[in-house]
């Protein structure tokens, strides 16, 4: 499901609705009728003024679509067709750069290069009829230079009052995404790349800020991600969880923008969240839904199935300074309490799909729910005060949020909280792992004490509460790109020993079995004692041993109920008490 740098989630609907759901794809919109084209090639117009300006109330929506991917190519191409249902107006110009795969989806022209389009209106959902502006050949969509080239070209060619950039492909939170193995094997955009690209675009065009940056991709609704782009945009949209392959409902939110060009980026983000999945044309249109699901399902049943485990959030990026300040205060306060309490809150917090390998528990946890658990787990006055400030700042930051019933404790943004093993890999440069946390989100690491707290949590290494520089989150610091010092400051000392505060030192006493043989209607009682702290779930596994070939045939497995439960944020947990010793007596029947 997730290995290496593959960041997608295959989800099969319970009633064989859809073959799979992956990281959401970007989409396209429409554009004006006058297009600068020179023999089929675009030329980047020179910037004649210090800043590119457009007519009041006009919008340019730029869609960066990395469809050079076997899984998402067809879905991303369909997003273009969906955007064409709306079409551009004199007030809203929409351009796209889409790079397709050689050997993936064979429909809709089956080209394999990168092309730029001006999206124009038509009602055909099977064929792209928008105006092709240029065939760029094979380009590296995983390069920040490609992103810079596209956005600066679009801004200079179609100046507007408001600028929106939507990026579509696989996403993975602070790891970035937008991988492209053709022509450069292993190429991808880290969050540090995206941060640098956005800053360069603003510097080169002088537009001041994007009105909205949208990540139509998985797992990008994260504090680290939003902090990285905070100086470059006013609002952002991202998902805490993976996104279905159909992505955003482009025809709906683009129509909303066309209908009301006086809206703000926050209101556009609200329209994106409100229309997500339920109003997607691949669900509301009978023919498109039939093709998408491969069956005759109602729009209501498909929407209900797809929304169960999804999330989407619009964030006011001007609030990132305040939110990070509150998290910094919490990080300092947490150093004074038992780290087992912190580890327990991490373990129980609402979590989302892991981008790591099997055996590594989810490391992206909901920030708001984590704080709720801390408040329930300790009465330390400093932690309580800091946690309340995080709750307040988070509420100020989240403009719009939706989540399905399978993610009930979602509050809008995740934060990275790895277990001890993953911490050692992603924080210690000497390990040699390529995905280094602070290197990928240097701006966040400079503004935040969270990375320093994680090092304290796992090594006991102290940090300076005054070390954070919140100024890097402001528009004035958009051009800044050197954040290496922050990473060095939070890296574990060479002599540090990584410990696991939440490990609990669990031991299981020998299991007593009431009988060695039972009949078909019999029952065997299994009893033992489990000792340790932070006990969460207790599972049982029963199998038959085949002496002939040394194999085990699974007979039964499940979990043993604690008898008491607790609920925080709509999530239920077993409550084993605080004695440190649990007596287990379980009656098992062979049926």
């Amino acid at each position: 499901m997730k290995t290496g740098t593959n960041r997608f989630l295959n989800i099969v609907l319970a009633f064989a609705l859809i073959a799979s759901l992956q990281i959401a794809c970007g989409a396209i919109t429409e554009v004006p009728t006058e297009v600068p084209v020179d023999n089929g090639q675009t030329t980047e117009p020179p910037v004649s003024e210090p800043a590119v300006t457009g007519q009041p109330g006009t919008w340019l929506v730029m869609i960066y679509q990395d469809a050079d991917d076997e899984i998402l190519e067809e879905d991303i191409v369909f997003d273009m067709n969906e955007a064409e249902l709306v079409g551009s107006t004199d007030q809203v110009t929409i351009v796209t750069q889409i790079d397709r795969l050689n050997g993936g989806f064979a429909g809709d022209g089956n080209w394999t290069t990168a092309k730029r389009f001006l999206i124009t209106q038509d009602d055909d959902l099977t064929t792209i009829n928008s105006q092709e502006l240029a065939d760029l050949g094979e380009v590296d969509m995983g390069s920040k230079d490609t992103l810079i080239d596209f956005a600066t070209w679009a801004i200079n060619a179609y100046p507007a009052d408001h600028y929106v950039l939507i990026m579509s492909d696989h996403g993975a939170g602070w790891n970035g995404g937008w991988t492209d193995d053709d022509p450069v094997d292993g190429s991808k955009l880290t969050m540090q790349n995206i941060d640098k690209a956005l800053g360069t675009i603003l510097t080169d065009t002088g537009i001041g800020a994007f009105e909205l940056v949208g990540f139509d991709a998985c797992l990008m609704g994260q504090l680290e991600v939003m902090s990285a782009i905070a100086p470059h945009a006013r609002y952002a949209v991202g998902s805490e969880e993976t996104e279905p392959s159909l992505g955003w409902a482009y025809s709906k939110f683009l129509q909303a923008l066309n209908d009301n060009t006086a809206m703000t980026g926050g209101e556009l983000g609200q329209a994106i969240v409100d229309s997500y999945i339920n109003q997607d044309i691949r669900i509301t249109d009978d023919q498109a839904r039939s093709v998408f699901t491969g069956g005759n399902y109602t729009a209501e049943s498909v929407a209900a199935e797809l929304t169960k485990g999804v999330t989407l959030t619009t964030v006011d990026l001007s609030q990132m300074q305040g939110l990070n300040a509150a998290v910094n205060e919490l990080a300092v306060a947490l150093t004074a309490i038992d780290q087992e309490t912190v580890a327990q809150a991490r373990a129980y917090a609402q979590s989302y799909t892991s981008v790591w390998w099997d055996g590594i528990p989810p490391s992206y946890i909901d920030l708001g729910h984590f704080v709720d658990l801390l408040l329930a787990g300790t009465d330390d006055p400093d932690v309580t005060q800091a946690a309340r400030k995080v709750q307040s700042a988070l509420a100020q930051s989240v403009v719009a949020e939706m989540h399905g019933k399978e993610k009930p404790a979602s509050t809008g943004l995740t934060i990275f909280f790895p277990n001890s093993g993953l911490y050692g890999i992603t924080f210690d440069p000497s390990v040699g792992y390529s995905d280094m946390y602070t290197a990928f989100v240097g701006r966040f690491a400079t503004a935040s004490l969270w990375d320093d707290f994680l090092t304290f949590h796992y090594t006991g290494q102290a940090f300076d509460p005054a070390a954070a520089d919140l100024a890097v989150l402001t528009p004035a610091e958009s051009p800044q790109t050197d954040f290496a010092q922050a990473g060095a400051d939070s890296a574990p000392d060479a002599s540090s020993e990584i410990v696991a505060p939440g490990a609990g030192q669990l031991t299981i006493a020998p299991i007593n079995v009431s009988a060695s043989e039972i009949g078909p209607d019999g029952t065997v009682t299994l009893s033992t004692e489990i000792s340790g702290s932070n006990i969460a779930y207790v599972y049982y596994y029963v199998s038959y041993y085949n002496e002939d070939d040394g194999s085990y045939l699974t007979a039964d497995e499940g979990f043993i109920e604690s008898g008491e439960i607790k609920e925080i944020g709509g999530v239920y947990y077993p409550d084993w008490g605080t004695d440190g010793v649990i007596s287990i007596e379980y009656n098992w029947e062979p049926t």
Side-chain angles (χ1 to χ4, degrees):
M1 183 171 68
K2 60 272 178 186
T3 56
T5 56
N6 294 324
R7 276 88 173 180
F8 61 90
L9 175 66
N10 292 327
I11 303 172
V12 180
L13 298 189
F15 41 92
L17 193 68
I18 300 173
S20 65
L21 303 162
Q22 290 83 19
I23 299 168
C25 346
I28 321 309
T29 32
E30 315 74 27
V31 187
T33 54
E34 297 290 330
V35 187
V37 179
D38 181 13
N39 295 324
Q41 299 295 319
T42 57
T43 56
E44 194 159 321
V47 181
S48 56
E49 300 291 338
V52 179
T53 59
Q55 294 298 315
T58 56
W59 291 72
L60 172 62
V61 180
M62 297 164 279
I63 318 293
Y64 188 77
Q65 296 184 292
D66 184 5
D68 209 342
D69 178 271
E70 184 176 6
I71 295 170
L72 292 181
E73 182 187 9
E74 183 174 2
D75 299 296
I76 291 177
V77 170
F78 188 90
D79 285 340
M80 289 184 64
N81 280 299
E82 185 179 2
E84 287 180 336
L85 294 177
V86 180
S88 296
T89 67
D90 292 339
Q91 294 292 102
V92 180
T93 299
I94 307 165
V95 293
T96 179
Q97 179 168 306
I98 179 170
D99 188 12
R100 293 184 59 177
L101 180 72
N102 183 5
F105 174 53
D108 221 330
N110 196 29
W111 80 85
T112 62
T113 57
K115 294 185 177 185
R116 289 174 179 168
F117 288 89
L118 174 70
I119 303 298
T120 53
Q121 199 283 326
D122 76 71
D123 295 326
D124 186 352
L125 281 173
T126 61
T127 305
I128 294 172
N129 293 308
S130 290
Q131 183 173 0
E132 181 180 326
L133 305 181
D135 188 333
L136 305 177
E138 192 56 58
V139 302
D140 181 8
M141 297 287 279
S143 167
K144 64 180 176 59
D145 294 331
T146 304
L147 176 59
I148 292 169
D149 181 66
F150 166 62
T152 53
W153 160 79
I155 291 168
N156 283 297
Y158 303 100
D161 192 15
H162 305 287
Y163 297 94
V164 175
L165 175 65
I166 298 175
M167 300 177 62
S168 171
D169 187 31
H170 295 303
W174 64 260
N175 283 266
W178 292 267
T179 58
D180 190 350
D181 291 332
D182 186 6
V184 181
D185 187 43
S187 176
K188 77 169 181 178
L189 286 172
T190 67
M191 274 315 303
Q192 194 72 1
N193 295 148
I194 295 172
D195 184 342
K196 290 179 180 179
L198 297 183
T200 300
I201 294 164
L202 297 188
T203 299
D204 290 351
T205 62
I207 63 171
F210 292 96
E211 184 66 21
L212 182 143
V213 172
F215 297 108
D216 191 0
C218 292
L219 304 167
M220 301 301 287
Q222 190 171 61
L223 180 60
E224 291 89 335
V225 171
M226 298 304 167
S227 299
I229 66 171
H232 315 304
R234 297 184 180 92
Y235 298 91
V237 179
S239 171
E240 293 185 89
E241 184 53 282
T242 53
E243 289 190 357
S245 62
L246 50 71
W248 295 353
Y250 285 87
S251 63
K252 286 299 180 182
F253 72 78
L254 290 175
Q255 187 62 57
L257 179 59
N258 273 335
D259 291 343
N260 178 21
T261 56
M263 66 169 52
T264 65
E267 290 168 329
L268 176 59
Q270 180 80 62
I272 293 171
V273 171
D274 289 345
S275 61
Y276 184 46
I277 297 182
N278 285 295
Q279 299 179 47
D280 196 288
I281 197 68
R282 295 177 83 174
I283 292 179
T284 60
D285 181 84
D286 292 343
Q287 179 60 31
R289 183 174 66 255
S290 177
V291 173
F292 180 55
T293 64
N296 185 25
Y297 304 102
T298 65
E300 292 75 17
S301 65
V302 177
E305 187 67 26
L306 293 186
T307 54
K308 287 195 300 186
V310 302
T311 66
L312 199 62
T313 305
T314 296
V315 175
D316 181 350
L317 295 175
S318 70
Q319 301 296 318
M320 286 301 98
Q321 261 193 306
L323 180 55
N324 274 281
V327 171
N328 288 350
E329 184 176 332
L330 178 64
V332 173
L334 290 178
T335 63
I337 67 172
D338 189 341
Q339 294 306 293
E340 280 196 8
T341 301
V342 182
Q344 187 177 71
R346 177 196 69 83
Y348 281 145
Q350 179 75 74
S351 62
Y352 305 89
T353 300
S354 175
V355 301
W356 311 98
W357 46 89
D358 290 338
I360 298 293
S363 57
Y364 294 171
I365 63 172
D366 185 86
L367 175 58
H369 193 224
F370 172 67
V371 167
D372 290 343
L373 289 160
L374 288 173
L375 288 169
T378 179
D379 56 4
D380 182 272
D382 292 334
V383 172
T384 299
Q385 177 178 321
R388 297 295 185 199
K389 288 183 178 180
V390 173
Q391 289 179 324
S392 177
L394 184 61
Q396 291 294 317
S397 302
V398 175
V399 174
E401 187 271 335
M402 66 84 68
H403 57 267
K405 62 182 181 180
E406 292 181 353
K407 301 295 177 181
S410 300
T411 60
L413 289 176
T414 63
I415 196 167
F416 181 57
F417 199 152
N419 72 346
S420 59
L422 186 56
Y423 164 80
I425 293 172
T426 55
F427 268 76
D428 188 352
S430 66
V431 175
Y433 188 62
S434 60
D435 292 5
M436 295 301 296
Y437 178 58
T438 54
F440 278 23
V441 283
R443 189 180 299 274
F444 170 78
T446 300
S448 178
L449 296 175
W450 183 250
D451 53 318
D452 305 278
F453 167 73
L454 290 177
T455 296
F456 169 83
H457 179 72
Y458 287 117
T459 71
Q461 184 174 309
F463 60 91
D464 180 4
D469 180 10
L470 291 167
V472 298
L473 303 178
T474 62
E477 297 299 317
S478 172
Q480 184 173 343
T481 59
D482 183 5
F483 305 107
Q485 188 59 46
D489 291 344
S490 62
D493 292 337
S495 59
S496 295
E497 178 186 358
I498 297 176
V499 298
Q505 304 300 316
L506 299 180
T507 59
I508 302 177
I511 299 174
N512 296 314
V513 183
S514 63
S516 58
E517 293 184 5
I518 55 175
D521 298 324
T523 299
V524 61
T525 300
L526 309 175
S527 58
T528 186
E529 285 189 343
I530 301 176
S531 302
S533 59
N534 280 346
I535 299 171
Y537 298 93
V538 178
Y539 292 87
Y540 68 84
Y541 173 79
V542 180
S543 62
Y544 296 108
Y545 178 62
N546 187 329
E547 293 184 355
D548 294 338
D549 59 10
S551 64
Y552 291 87
L553 175 65
T554 298
D556 195 12
E557 56 184 333
F559 67 92
I560 299 172
E561 295 183 4
S562 61
E564 299 292 332
I565 59 172
K566 56 185 177 181
E567 178 271 327
I568 298 176
V571 179
Y572 294 85
Y573 309 94
D575 184 0
W576 299 100
T578 58
D579 294 339
V581 178
I582 301 174
S583 296
I584 299 290
E585 188 171 280
Y586 182 70
N587 296 320
W588 183 76
E589 300 178 14
T591 55

